Amino acid sequence: MSLTIDDYKFSIALANAGLTIGQAAERAGMSRQRFHTVLNSKRVTAQAVGRVAKALGVDVTEIIETN
């Protein structure tokens, strides 16, 4: 299963967490480059989205695109 991170929802979660991209990447255990790849990819694994959501302190459903 692959998911897509919604840019707007991600930005809101990042702002609410008071983190920079670098800090969020560090909390997710990813390099900044890998973190950006995950954010900009149209198809991301559930595991990667889970790591991003956990780093931001939100539920996965709060940052993924829904149709």
Side-chain angles (χ1 to χ4, degrees):
M1 172 184 227
S2 59
L3 305 166
T4 302
I5 296 176
D6 183 286
D7 292 337
Y8 182 73
K9 291 178 181 180
F10 170 80
S11 294
I12 290 171
L14 186 67
N16 284 335
L19 299 172
T20 65
I21 295 282
Q23 291 167 329
E26 187 176 316
R27 283 188 177 190
M30 299 178 189
S31 67
R32 283 187 65 160
Q33 182 179 9
R34 173 68 181 140
F35 198 75
H36 278 285
T37 300
V38 168
L39 295 179
N40 295 321
S41 180
K42 290 294 177 191
R43 294 181 160 230
V44 183
T45 65
Q47 180 184 14
V49 175
R51 290 173 70 181
V52 171
K54 186 175 180 180
L56 297 174
V58 299
D59 189 78
V60 169
T61 59
E62 293 183 52
I63 62 169
I64 60 170
E65 287 184 1
T66 54
N67 292 333

